Amino acid sequence: MRKPLVMGNWKLNGTKESVTALVNALKEPADKAAPKADVAVCAPTVFIGLVEQLAAGSKLAYGSEDCDIHVQGAYTGENSPVMLREFGCTYAIVGHSERRDYHQETNEYVALKYQAAQQNGLIPVLCVGESEAEYDSGRTMDVVKAELQAVIDLCGIESFKNAVIAYEPIWAIGTGKTATPEVAQKVHADIRAYLATFNAEVADGVRILYGGSCNAKTAPDLFAQKDIDGGLVGGASLKAPDFTAIIEAAVANA
Ligand code: 13P
């Protein structure tokens, strides 16, 4: 049985004050959910030390929104997976579509980030997903398979024993256009089937989250789908009552 995971991706949002209020409000829901579902927040790097202090002693896990392929050295502005681990991060998102788009991260480069995160004790959360044009032309799985394949080639199928996949159709991110539960379920099942061509046991065990306008309203039907193991939540993760409702939807479907 796969334990659901509800993960917030705060993106470039927050202040010391809002982060403090949000983490304090999420500790209890995370503790309550813990027997049935895992809860995490991925924060801008500058806030991770604060999240570490605030979340101490609770079941609220946290992570980074990205990480570098290097652990140290002359790489100005980058964030080392070793440093993120030192500050208690459990997860590192890699290959978010905003990074792929705005920072020209290729499938191969994302695979290197996935590898660096995993080799240094972080659980990579590998984001995959197609653009609207790719969706409209029926190329979703071509895109997603290529994104997965780069990681399989570099790290091997077994690496997914210690990783999370997030399917985020780009056309659904921040647009209010959620993929229908049926559309999302089909892609999640296709991802699992593709991984199963390499290793059925790994495919069965890996958590595949849905992301893209996942909110308190859409989460219950999405999480009821067989191959949807939780959500990677942007906008709705910034509001404690909304994120708490999403956590509760995951628990109800666990
Ligand atoms: P929204 O939930 O704001 O659509 O963002 C989704 C996302 O990109 C999470 O990583």
Side-chain angles (χ1 to χ4, degrees), residues 88-100:
C89 286
T90 299
Y91 302 96
I93 297 174
V94 295
H96 192 281
S97 58
E98 287 150 16
R99 302 280 325 168
R100 292 180 190 263

PDB file of all heavy atoms in Angstrom, residues 88-100:
ATOM      1  N   GLY A  88      17.799  19.713   7.682  1.00  0.00           N
ATOM      2  CA  GLY A  88      16.679  18.823   7.987  1.00  0.00           C
ATOM      3  C   GLY A  88      15.694  18.585   6.860  1.00  0.00           C
ATOM      4  O   GLY A  88      14.621  18.014   7.091  1.00  0.00           O
ATOM      5  N   CYS A  89      16.041  18.995   5.649  1.00  0.00           N
ATOM      6  CA  CYS A  89      15.123  18.715   4.536  1.00  0.00           C
ATOM      7  C   CYS A  89      15.013  17.211   4.317  1.00  0.00           C
ATOM      8  O   CYS A  89      16.010  16.490   4.373  1.00  0.00           O
ATOM      9  CB  CYS A  89      15.636  19.347   3.239  1.00  0.00           C
ATOM     10  SG  CYS A  89      15.453  21.127   3.172  1.00  0.00           S
ATOM     11  N   THR A  90      13.802  16.765   4.061  1.00  0.00           N
ATOM     12  CA  THR A  90      13.569  15.381   3.671  1.00  0.00           C
ATOM     13  C   THR A  90      13.529  15.276   2.146  1.00  0.00           C
ATOM     14  O   THR A  90      14.019  14.314   1.573  1.00  0.00           O
ATOM     15  CB  THR A  90      12.222  14.884   4.251  1.00  0.00           C
ATOM     16  OG1 THR A  90      12.294  14.966   5.683  1.00  0.00           O
ATOM     17  CG2 THR A  90      11.931  13.437   3.856  1.00  0.00           C
ATOM     18  N   TYR A  91      12.904  16.264   1.526  1.00  0.00           N
ATOM     19  CA  TYR A  91      12.637  16.203   0.083  1.00  0.00           C
ATOM     20  C   TYR A  91      13.329  17.340  -0.670  1.00  0.00           C
ATOM     21  O   TYR A  91      13.613  18.395  -0.097  1.00  0.00           O
ATOM     22  CB  TYR A  91      11.124  16.357  -0.181  1.00  0.00           C
ATOM     23  CG  TYR A  91      10.259  15.331   0.495  1.00  0.00           C
ATOM     24  CD1 TYR A  91       9.635  15.590   1.725  1.00  0.00           C
ATOM     25  CD2 TYR A  91      10.040  14.082  -0.094  1.00  0.00           C
ATOM     26  CE1 TYR A  91       8.819  14.641   2.343  1.00  0.00           C
ATOM     27  CE2 TYR A  91       9.230  13.135   0.512  1.00  0.00           C
ATOM     28  CZ  TYR A  91       8.618  13.420   1.734  1.00  0.00           C
ATOM     29  OH  TYR A  91       7.818  12.482   2.335  1.00  0.00           O
ATOM     30  N   ALA A  92      13.537  17.107  -1.961  1.00  0.00           N
ATOM     31  CA  ALA A  92      13.930  18.189  -2.875  1.00  0.00           C
ATOM     32  C   ALA A  92      13.129  18.017  -4.163  1.00  0.00           C
ATOM     33  O   ALA A  92      13.204  16.967  -4.807  1.00  0.00           O
ATOM     34  CB  ALA A  92      15.418  18.137  -3.178  1.00  0.00           C
ATOM     35  N   ILE A  93      12.343  19.029  -4.493  1.00  0.00           N
ATOM     36  CA  ILE A  93      11.665  19.015  -5.794  1.00  0.00           C
ATOM     37  C   ILE A  93      12.735  19.203  -6.866  1.00  0.00           C
ATOM     38  O   ILE A  93      13.627  20.045  -6.711  1.00  0.00           O
ATOM     39  CB  ILE A  93      10.629  20.164  -5.877  1.00  0.00           C
ATOM     40  CG1 ILE A  93       9.516  19.984  -4.839  1.00  0.00           C
ATOM     41  CG2 ILE A  93      10.037  20.262  -7.284  1.00  0.00           C
ATOM     42  CD1 ILE A  93       8.540  21.169  -4.769  1.00  0.00           C
ATOM     43  N   VAL A  94      12.665  18.424  -7.919  1.00  0.00           N
ATOM     44  CA  VAL A  94      13.554  18.659  -9.072  1.00  0.00           C
ATOM     45  C   VAL A  94      12.726  18.618 -10.353  1.00  0.00           C
ATOM     46  O   VAL A  94      11.758  17.873 -10.468  1.00  0.00           O
ATOM     47  CB  VAL A  94      14.718  17.632  -9.152  1.00  0.00           C
ATOM     48  CG1 VAL A  94      15.661  17.766  -7.962  1.00  0.00           C
ATOM     49  CG2 VAL A  94      14.225  16.199  -9.285  1.00  0.00           C
ATOM     50  N   GLY A  95      13.116  19.466 -11.292  1.00  0.00           N
ATOM     51  CA  GLY A  95      12.472  19.454 -12.604  1.00  0.00           C
ATOM     52  C   GLY A  95      11.084  20.046 -12.633  1.00  0.00           C
ATOM     53  O   GLY A  95      10.286  19.714 -13.521  1.00  0.00           O
ATOM     54  N   HIS A  96      10.793  20.951 -11.686  1.00  0.00           N
ATOM     55  CA  HIS A  96       9.500  21.641 -11.798  1.00  0.00           C
ATOM     56  C   HIS A  96       9.441  22.352 -13.153  1.00  0.00           C
ATOM     57  O   HIS A  96      10.462  22.862 -13.635  1.00  0.00           O
ATOM     58  CB  HIS A  96       9.328  22.647 -10.652  1.00  0.00           C
ATOM     59  CG  HIS A  96       7.922  23.156 -10.563  1.00  0.00           C
ATOM     60  ND1 HIS A  96       7.440  24.123 -11.405  1.00  0.00           N
ATOM     61  CD2 HIS A  96       6.883  22.784  -9.767  1.00  0.00           C
ATOM     62  CE1 HIS A  96       6.160  24.345 -11.118  1.00  0.00           C
ATOM     63  NE2 HIS A  96       5.798  23.541 -10.127  1.00  0.00           N
ATOM     64  N   SER A  97       8.255  22.419 -13.731  1.00  0.00           N
ATOM     65  CA  SER A  97       8.150  22.999 -15.084  1.00  0.00           C
ATOM     66  C   SER A  97       8.604  24.453 -15.114  1.00  0.00           C
ATOM     67  O   SER A  97       9.105  24.935 -16.139  1.00  0.00           O
ATOM     68  CB  SER A  97       6.720  22.879 -15.601  1.00  0.00           C
ATOM     69  OG  SER A  97       5.830  23.523 -14.731  1.00  0.00           O
ATOM     70  N   GLU A  98       8.469  25.153 -13.983  1.00  0.00           N
ATOM     71  CA  GLU A  98       8.941  26.544 -13.962  1.00  0.00           C
ATOM     72  C   GLU A  98      10.468  26.598 -14.058  1.00  0.00           C
ATOM     73  O   GLU A  98      11.026  27.516 -14.664  1.00  0.00           O
ATOM     74  CB  GLU A  98       8.404  27.247 -12.702  1.00  0.00           C
ATOM     75  CG  GLU A  98       6.900  27.521 -12.843  1.00  0.00           C
ATOM     76  CD  GLU A  98       6.117  27.525 -11.535  1.00  0.00           C
ATOM     77  OE1 GLU A  98       6.718  27.621 -10.457  1.00  0.00           O
ATOM     78  OE2 GLU A  98       4.869  27.404 -11.618  1.00  0.00           O
ATOM     79  N   ARG A  99      11.150  25.639 -13.477  1.00  0.00           N
ATOM     80  CA  ARG A  99      12.615  25.546 -13.617  1.00  0.00           C
ATOM     81  C   ARG A  99      12.976  25.115 -15.033  1.00  0.00           C
ATOM     82  O   ARG A  99      13.912  25.641 -15.636  1.00  0.00           O
ATOM     83  CB  ARG A  99      13.209  24.532 -12.625  1.00  0.00           C
ATOM     84  CG  ARG A  99      12.953  24.785 -11.173  1.00  0.00           C
ATOM     85  CD  ARG A  99      13.823  25.800 -10.524  1.00  0.00           C
ATOM     86  NE  ARG A  99      15.177  25.861 -10.985  1.00  0.00           N
ATOM     87  CZ  ARG A  99      16.005  26.874 -10.670  1.00  0.00           C
ATOM     88  NH1 ARG A  99      15.594  27.863  -9.897  1.00  0.00           N
ATOM     89  NH2 ARG A  99      17.245  26.900 -11.126  1.00  0.00           N
ATOM     90  N   ARG A 100      12.254  24.134 -15.540  1.00  0.00           N
ATOM     91  CA  ARG A 100      12.558  23.664 -16.906  1.00  0.00           C
ATOM     92  C   ARG A 100      12.387  24.815 -17.900  1.00  0.00           C
ATOM     93  O   ARG A 100      13.208  25.000 -18.795  1.00  0.00           O
ATOM     94  CB  ARG A 100      11.629  22.503 -17.284  1.00  0.00           C
ATOM     95  CG  ARG A 100      11.871  21.204 -16.489  1.00  0.00           C
ATOM     96  CD  ARG A 100      10.890  20.116 -16.933  1.00  0.00           C
ATOM     97  NE  ARG A 100      10.884  18.931 -16.106  1.00  0.00           N
ATOM     98  CZ  ARG A 100      11.565  17.801 -16.365  1.00  0.00           C
ATOM     99  NH1 ARG A 100      12.321  17.722 -17.433  1.00  0.00           N
ATOM    100  NH2 ARG A 100      11.478  16.765 -15.552  1.00  0.00           N
TER     101      ARG A 100
END
